[in-house]
Amino acid sequence: MTTVESGAYPVSLFDGEDANGVANIVGMLLGQNLENFPSRIKFARKIARPVSIISTDTDSACTIVFGTDEAVVYNDVVGKPAVTVIATVDQILDVSQLPMKAGGLIPVGFFTGRGMTVLGEILKHKLVVKGLLTHTVTALRTIALVSVIEP
């Protein structure tokens, strides 16, 4: 297991050097964001079920499991994720540019130009978020955790 960033809440890649591209990108985003924005750690600890991200253009996936002491990013879909995001790498990076407030509970980023584009992709089913309606808070908190924009 490789740790992406150290600190109060490390993010580890379970498959280490064999981690796929999506796992590496997500692990890096989470690790850097939790290091740069330590206030987000309390929101990470509140996510009780796994979250999966599937990249349609690279045909790879990862699953994030948030624990009380660390987050672990696995290759592929692991367990029964509460939320599954199916998107291209560019769409994932667009989502990481959305500002979120209150740990994702106030999704102000969706009211920006980029946010409207992301919403349009969701409405056209080009970016799919399974569990968005049943696990809305988990979905919004995950967006907040991967967002590189300061709240």
Side-chain angles (χ1 to χ4, degrees):
M1 191 171 340
T2 302
T3 300
V4 177
E5 288 289 329
S6 61
Y9 192 81
V11 177
S12 301
L13 297 174
F14 182 79
D15 297 301
E17 294 194 20
D18 292 327
N20 64 41
V22 171
N24 275 313
I25 289 169
V26 169
M28 183 180 61
L29 278 171
L30 282 173
Q32 289 176 352
N33 287 341
L34 292 170
E35 187 81 19
N36 293 334
F37 310 112
S39 62
R40 295 182 185 181
I41 293 171
K42 65 182 175 181
F43 304 118
R45 288 183 172 136
K46 291 181 181 182
I47 299 177
R49 301 244 338 257
V51 175
S52 290
I53 300 172
I54 300 171
S55 168
T56 57
D57 52 349
T58 63
D59 198 29
S60 58
C62 73
T63 301
I64 312 159
V65 177
F66 296 95
T68 55
D69 297 329
E70 71 172 338
V72 179
V73 181
Y74 296 87
N75 277 347
D76 301 318
V77 177
V78 176
K80 293 185 178 186
V83 174
T84 299
V85 177
I86 305 168
T88 66
V89 172
D90 286 339
Q91 290 169 328
I92 294 166
L93 294 175
D94 280 344
V95 168
S96 76
Q97 298 292 317
L98 299 178
M100 305 291 276
K101 294 194 180 276
L105 300 180
I106 304 174
V108 295
F110 287 111
F111 304 106
T112 64
R114 179 173 275 136
M116 291 296 180
T117 301
V118 169
L119 286 175
E121 297 289 304
I122 291 171
L123 292 174
K124 293 180 210 170
H125 300 287
K126 291 183 178 182
L127 189 163
V128 177
V129 184
K130 293 181 179 183
L132 179 60
L133 298 177
T134 55
H135 298 285
T136 306
V137 172
T138 298
L140 292 174
R141 281 190 172 146
T142 302
I143 293 168
L145 289 171
V146 298
S147 174
V148 296
I149 307 299
E150 188 169 359

